[in-house]
Amino acid sequence: MHALAVNCSGLETGESVAFFQGQYNITNWSRHRRVGRRTRITLDHLMASSAIPLIFPAVKVHGQFFADGAVRQLAPISPALHLGAEKIMVIGVSGDTNRIKKKIKVNGDYPSPAKIMGHMLNAAFLDSMEADVERLSRINRTLDRIPEDVRIAQGMELKPVELLEINPSRSLDEIAGEHADEIPRALKLALRGSGNASHNGSGILSYLLFSQGFCKALIDLGYHDGKERAEEIKKFFADHYIDRREPIAPKVMA
């Protein structure tokens, strides 16, 4: 493995910090509100990276408290590029953006607290990734129209980055709504019943529901979607892919 990075959000500095561990030719970086810091990745970094603010406790790492890495993460793909990635596979959690979206019925009722909170969490955790994928795709299209010799002559640091984006074929909110009866009693009380309907509060449920049934449904969905695009994934990693079904010729020592 060349490198590994875990993103965390500094609650005191307001910076998105990519803690990374990898080859020694990778150096720290600093951009507006986002930095990269070399360290030894531990369980604390992982726990901090997944600590949704106000729901899961922040974790103290390197002298300050950090929370979920998606918060204030302006460019989610950036750390991978800083680590030297030439190909990027993005596994999203939003619905497939290429599919025709269903028309949402608006009933005019005031949204429940759970629905509002789910909306805020989606804005904090999902929108920046989708925007960054769109930005990278646009840069790739622009670079395709600029000859390589011109880019070199002009000292352009940008280079095309091959991108493969995979999104779930079903809405995770809908799946969470189907498993709403698995909500722990304490969570039901916290949501005051507003999260028990798939049309009303399933957005926040998809963040908070860790029941066996819901997790199994997500695993099955991921496996199904991966199999559906198996050939595309193999082609994407063709220069690194080894078909284990084919016998590997033994090396002959002189």
Short mmCIF file of all heavy atoms in Angstrom, two decimals, residues 172-189 191 193-206 208-211 213-215 217:
data_model
loop_
_atom_site.label_atom_id
_atom_site.label_comp_id
_atom_site.label_asym_id
_atom_site.label_seq_id
_atom_site.Cartn_x
_atom_site.Cartn_y
_atom_site.Cartn_z
N LEU A 172 -30.70 4.83 0.29
CA LEU A 172 -30.46 4.31 1.63
C LEU A 172 -31.53 4.80 2.60
O LEU A 172 -31.83 4.15 3.60
CB LEU A 172 -29.08 4.74 2.12
CG LEU A 172 -27.88 4.32 1.25
CD1 LEU A 172 -26.58 4.52 2.02
CD2 LEU A 172 -28.00 2.88 0.79
N ASP A 173 -32.12 5.97 2.32
CA ASP A 173 -33.21 6.48 3.15
C ASP A 173 -34.41 5.55 3.08
O ASP A 173 -35.06 5.26 4.09
CB ASP A 173 -33.62 7.88 2.70
CG ASP A 173 -32.54 8.92 2.98
OD1 ASP A 173 -31.53 8.56 3.62
OD2 ASP A 173 -32.70 10.08 2.54
N GLU A 174 -34.72 5.07 1.86
CA GLU A 174 -35.85 4.16 1.69
C GLU A 174 -35.61 2.85 2.44
O GLU A 174 -36.52 2.33 3.09
CB GLU A 174 -36.08 3.88 0.21
CG GLU A 174 -36.57 5.08 -0.59
CD GLU A 174 -36.78 4.74 -2.05
OE1 GLU A 174 -36.55 3.55 -2.42
OE2 GLU A 174 -37.15 5.63 -2.82
N ILE A 175 -34.39 2.34 2.35
CA ILE A 175 -34.07 1.09 3.04
C ILE A 175 -34.16 1.29 4.54
O ILE A 175 -34.67 0.42 5.27
CB ILE A 175 -32.66 0.60 2.64
CG1 ILE A 175 -32.60 0.32 1.15
CG2 ILE A 175 -32.28 -0.65 3.43
CD1 ILE A 175 -31.23 -0.08 0.64
N ALA A 176 -33.68 2.43 5.02
CA ALA A 176 -33.77 2.72 6.46
C ALA A 176 -35.23 2.76 6.90
O ALA A 176 -35.58 2.25 7.98
CB ALA A 176 -33.08 4.04 6.77
N GLY A 177 -36.10 3.35 6.07
CA GLY A 177 -37.52 3.40 6.40
C GLY A 177 -38.13 2.02 6.51
O GLY A 177 -39.01 1.79 7.34
N GLU A 178 -37.67 1.08 5.68
CA GLU A 178 -38.17 -0.29 5.73
C GLU A 178 -37.78 -1.00 7.01
O GLU A 178 -38.39 -2.00 7.40
CB GLU A 178 -37.67 -1.07 4.52
CG GLU A 178 -38.21 -0.54 3.18
CD GLU A 178 -37.51 -1.17 2.00
OE1 GLU A 178 -36.61 -2.02 2.22
OE2 GLU A 178 -37.85 -0.83 0.84
N HIS A 179 -36.73 -0.51 7.68
CA HIS A 179 -36.24 -1.13 8.92
C HIS A 179 -36.48 -0.23 10.13
O HIS A 179 -35.82 -0.37 11.15
CB HIS A 179 -34.74 -1.44 8.79
CG HIS A 179 -34.43 -2.49 7.77
ND1 HIS A 179 -34.32 -3.84 8.08
CD2 HIS A 179 -34.23 -2.40 6.43
CE1 HIS A 179 -34.04 -4.52 6.98
NE2 HIS A 179 -33.98 -3.67 5.97
N ALA A 180 -37.45 0.68 9.98
CA ALA A 180 -37.72 1.62 11.05
C ALA A 180 -38.18 0.93 12.34
O ALA A 180 -37.96 1.45 13.44
CB ALA A 180 -38.77 2.64 10.60
N ASP A 181 -38.80 -0.25 12.21
CA ASP A 181 -39.26 -0.95 13.41
C ASP A 181 -38.10 -1.53 14.23
O ASP A 181 -38.31 -2.03 15.34
CB ASP A 181 -40.23 -2.07 13.03
CG ASP A 181 -39.61 -3.08 12.07
OD1 ASP A 181 -38.58 -2.76 11.45
OD2 ASP A 181 -40.17 -4.20 11.94
N GLU A 182 -36.88 -1.45 13.69
CA GLU A 182 -35.72 -1.97 14.41
C GLU A 182 -35.02 -0.89 15.25
O GLU A 182 -33.98 -1.13 15.83
CB GLU A 182 -34.72 -2.57 13.42
CG GLU A 182 -35.30 -3.70 12.57
CD GLU A 182 -34.38 -4.11 11.43
OE1 GLU A 182 -33.22 -3.68 11.42
OE2 GLU A 182 -34.84 -4.86 10.54
N ILE A 183 -35.62 0.31 15.29
CA ILE A 183 -35.02 1.41 16.05
C ILE A 183 -35.00 1.06 17.54
O ILE A 183 -36.02 0.65 18.09
CB ILE A 183 -35.81 2.72 15.86
CG1 ILE A 183 -35.98 3.04 14.38
CG2 ILE A 183 -35.15 3.87 16.58
CD1 ILE A 183 -36.88 4.22 14.13
N PRO A 184 -33.86 1.23 18.21
CA PRO A 184 -33.81 1.01 19.66
C PRO A 184 -34.78 1.95 20.38
O PRO A 184 -35.06 3.06 19.91
CB PRO A 184 -32.36 1.33 20.02
CG PRO A 184 -31.60 1.16 18.74
CD PRO A 184 -32.54 1.56 17.65
N ARG A 185 -35.27 1.52 21.52
CA ARG A 185 -36.26 2.30 22.27
C ARG A 185 -35.74 3.69 22.62
O ARG A 185 -36.47 4.68 22.50
CB ARG A 185 -36.65 1.55 23.55
CG ARG A 185 -37.69 2.28 24.39
CD ARG A 185 -38.08 1.47 25.60
NE ARG A 185 -39.02 2.20 26.43
CZ ARG A 185 -40.32 2.30 26.20
NH1 ARG A 185 -40.84 1.70 25.14
NH2 ARG A 185 -41.11 2.97 27.02
N ALA A 186 -34.47 3.77 23.02
CA ALA A 186 -33.90 5.06 23.40
C ALA A 186 -33.91 6.04 22.22
O ALA A 186 -34.18 7.23 22.38
CB ALA A 186 -32.49 4.88 23.93
N LEU A 187 -33.62 5.51 21.02
CA LEU A 187 -33.61 6.37 19.83
C LEU A 187 -35.02 6.80 19.47
O LEU A 187 -35.24 7.93 19.03
CB LEU A 187 -32.95 5.64 18.67
CG LEU A 187 -32.77 6.42 17.37
CD1 LEU A 187 -31.99 7.70 17.62
CD2 LEU A 187 -32.06 5.57 16.32
N LYS A 188 -36.00 5.90 19.67
CA LYS A 188 -37.39 6.27 19.40
C LYS A 188 -37.81 7.43 20.28
O LYS A 188 -38.47 8.38 19.84
CB LYS A 188 -38.30 5.07 19.64
CG LYS A 188 -38.26 4.01 18.56
CD LYS A 188 -39.25 2.90 18.87
CE LYS A 188 -39.23 1.83 17.78
NZ LYS A 188 -40.19 0.73 18.07
N LEU A 189 -37.41 7.37 21.55
CA LEU A 189 -37.76 8.44 22.47
C LEU A 189 -37.08 9.74 22.07
O LEU A 189 -37.67 10.82 22.16
CB LEU A 189 -37.37 8.05 23.90
CG LEU A 189 -38.15 6.87 24.51
CD1 LEU A 189 -37.58 6.51 25.87
CD2 LEU A 189 -39.63 7.22 24.62
N LEU A 191 -36.20 10.67 19.09
CA LEU A 191 -36.83 11.21 17.89
C LEU A 191 -38.30 11.56 18.11
O LEU A 191 -38.93 12.14 17.23
CB LEU A 191 -36.72 10.20 16.74
CG LEU A 191 -35.30 9.90 16.25
CD1 LEU A 191 -35.33 8.81 15.19
CD2 LEU A 191 -34.63 11.14 15.71
N GLY A 193 -40.85 9.78 18.04
CA GLY A 193 -41.75 9.15 17.07
C GLY A 193 -41.69 9.73 15.68
O GLY A 193 -42.36 9.26 14.78
N SER A 194 -40.90 10.79 15.46
CA SER A 194 -40.89 11.44 14.15
C SER A 194 -40.05 10.70 13.14
O SER A 194 -40.08 11.03 11.96
CB SER A 194 -40.37 12.87 14.29
OG SER A 194 -39.06 12.87 14.82
N GLY A 195 -39.29 9.71 13.57
CA GLY A 195 -38.42 9.03 12.62
C GLY A 195 -38.90 7.65 12.26
O GLY A 195 -38.17 6.85 11.71
N ASN A 196 -40.16 7.33 12.56
CA ASN A 196 -40.61 5.96 12.35
C ASN A 196 -41.38 5.77 11.06
O ASN A 196 -41.90 4.73 10.80
CB ASN A 196 -41.48 5.50 13.53
CG ASN A 196 -42.71 6.39 13.72
OD1 ASN A 196 -42.88 7.34 12.97
ND2 ASN A 196 -43.51 6.08 14.71
N ALA A 197 -41.45 6.80 10.23
CA ALA A 197 -42.11 6.68 8.94
C ALA A 197 -41.11 6.90 7.83
O ALA A 197 -40.32 7.83 7.87
CB ALA A 197 -43.25 7.70 8.82
N SER A 198 -41.15 6.07 6.81
CA SER A 198 -40.14 6.14 5.76
C SER A 198 -40.18 7.46 5.01
O SER A 198 -39.17 7.92 4.50
CB SER A 198 -40.34 4.98 4.77
OG SER A 198 -41.61 5.07 4.17
N HIS A 199 -41.34 8.13 4.97
CA HIS A 199 -41.44 9.39 4.23
C HIS A 199 -41.13 10.59 5.12
O HIS A 199 -41.05 11.71 4.63
CB HIS A 199 -42.85 9.54 3.65
CG HIS A 199 -43.90 9.75 4.70
ND1 HIS A 199 -44.42 8.70 5.42
CD2 HIS A 199 -44.50 10.89 5.15
CE1 HIS A 199 -45.33 9.19 6.26
NE2 HIS A 199 -45.39 10.50 6.13
N ASN A 200 -40.96 10.36 6.43
CA ASN A 200 -40.89 11.49 7.35
C ASN A 200 -39.53 11.67 8.00
O ASN A 200 -39.07 12.79 8.18
CB ASN A 200 -41.95 11.32 8.43
CG ASN A 200 -42.27 12.62 9.12
OD1 ASN A 200 -42.19 13.67 8.51
ND2 ASN A 200 -42.63 12.55 10.38
N GLY A 201 -38.88 10.57 8.36
CA GLY A 201 -37.63 10.73 9.08
C GLY A 201 -36.58 9.70 8.74
O GLY A 201 -35.63 9.50 9.49
N SER A 202 -36.72 9.02 7.60
CA SER A 202 -35.77 7.97 7.27
C SER A 202 -34.39 8.52 6.93
O SER A 202 -33.40 7.80 6.98
CB SER A 202 -36.29 7.11 6.11
OG SER A 202 -36.51 7.91 4.96
N GLY A 203 -34.32 9.82 6.58
CA GLY A 203 -33.03 10.42 6.27
C GLY A 203 -32.09 10.35 7.44
O GLY A 203 -30.93 9.95 7.31
N ILE A 204 -32.57 10.72 8.61
CA ILE A 204 -31.74 10.66 9.81
C ILE A 204 -31.54 9.22 10.27
O ILE A 204 -30.50 8.87 10.82
CB ILE A 204 -32.33 11.53 10.95
CG1 ILE A 204 -31.32 11.63 12.09
CG2 ILE A 204 -33.66 10.97 11.44
CD1 ILE A 204 -31.74 12.58 13.18
N LEU A 205 -32.53 8.36 9.99
CA LEU A 205 -32.38 6.95 10.38
C LEU A 205 -31.19 6.31 9.66
O LEU A 205 -30.50 5.47 10.24
CB LEU A 205 -33.66 6.17 10.04
CG LEU A 205 -34.86 6.34 10.96
CD1 LEU A 205 -35.97 5.41 10.53
CD2 LEU A 205 -34.48 6.09 12.40
N SER A 206 -30.96 6.68 8.42
CA SER A 206 -29.87 6.07 7.66
C SER A 206 -28.51 6.38 8.29
O SER A 206 -27.53 5.70 8.02
CB SER A 206 -29.90 6.53 6.21
OG SER A 206 -29.69 7.92 6.11
N LEU A 208 -28.27 6.83 11.80
CA LEU A 208 -28.28 6.38 13.20
C LEU A 208 -28.65 4.92 13.39
O LEU A 208 -28.48 4.38 14.48
CB LEU A 208 -29.26 7.24 14.01
CG LEU A 208 -29.03 8.75 13.97
CD1 LEU A 208 -30.07 9.46 14.82
CD2 LEU A 208 -27.63 9.10 14.47
N LEU A 209 -29.18 4.29 12.36
CA LEU A 209 -29.66 2.92 12.51
C LEU A 209 -28.51 1.93 12.28
O LEU A 209 -27.92 1.88 11.20
CB LEU A 209 -30.79 2.65 11.51
CG LEU A 209 -31.61 1.39 11.71
CD1 LEU A 209 -32.25 1.36 13.09
CD2 LEU A 209 -32.70 1.31 10.64
N PHE A 210 -28.18 1.16 13.31
CA PHE A 210 -27.10 0.18 13.21
C PHE A 210 -27.61 -1.23 13.50
O PHE A 210 -26.86 -2.09 13.96
CB PHE A 210 -25.98 0.53 14.19
CG PHE A 210 -25.30 1.83 13.90
CD1 PHE A 210 -25.72 3.00 14.52
CD2 PHE A 210 -24.25 1.90 12.99
CE1 PHE A 210 -25.10 4.21 14.23
CE2 PHE A 210 -23.63 3.11 12.71
CZ PHE A 210 -24.06 4.27 13.34
N SER A 211 -28.88 -1.46 13.23
CA SER A 211 -29.47 -2.77 13.50
C SER A 211 -28.94 -3.82 12.53
O SER A 211 -28.45 -3.49 11.44
CB SER A 211 -30.99 -2.69 13.40
OG SER A 211 -31.38 -2.44 12.06
N GLY A 213 -30.58 -6.02 10.76
CA GLY A 213 -31.33 -6.10 9.51
C GLY A 213 -30.94 -5.02 8.53
O GLY A 213 -30.77 -5.27 7.33
N PHE A 214 -30.80 -3.79 9.03
CA PHE A 214 -30.43 -2.67 8.15
C PHE A 214 -29.02 -2.84 7.61
O PHE A 214 -28.78 -2.64 6.41
CB PHE A 214 -30.56 -1.35 8.93
CG PHE A 214 -30.20 -0.13 8.13
CD1 PHE A 214 -30.84 0.15 6.94
CD2 PHE A 214 -29.22 0.74 8.57
CE1 PHE A 214 -30.51 1.28 6.19
CE2 PHE A 214 -28.88 1.87 7.84
CZ PHE A 214 -29.54 2.14 6.64
N CYS A 215 -28.08 -3.23 8.48
CA CYS A 215 -26.69 -3.41 8.03
C CYS A 215 -26.59 -4.52 7.00
O CYS A 215 -25.86 -4.40 6.02
CB CYS A 215 -25.79 -3.70 9.24
SG CYS A 215 -25.57 -2.28 10.34
N ALA A 217 -28.94 -5.44 4.94
CA ALA A 217 -29.53 -4.94 3.70
C ALA A 217 -28.53 -4.07 2.93
O ALA A 217 -28.45 -4.14 1.70
CB ALA A 217 -30.80 -4.15 4.01
#
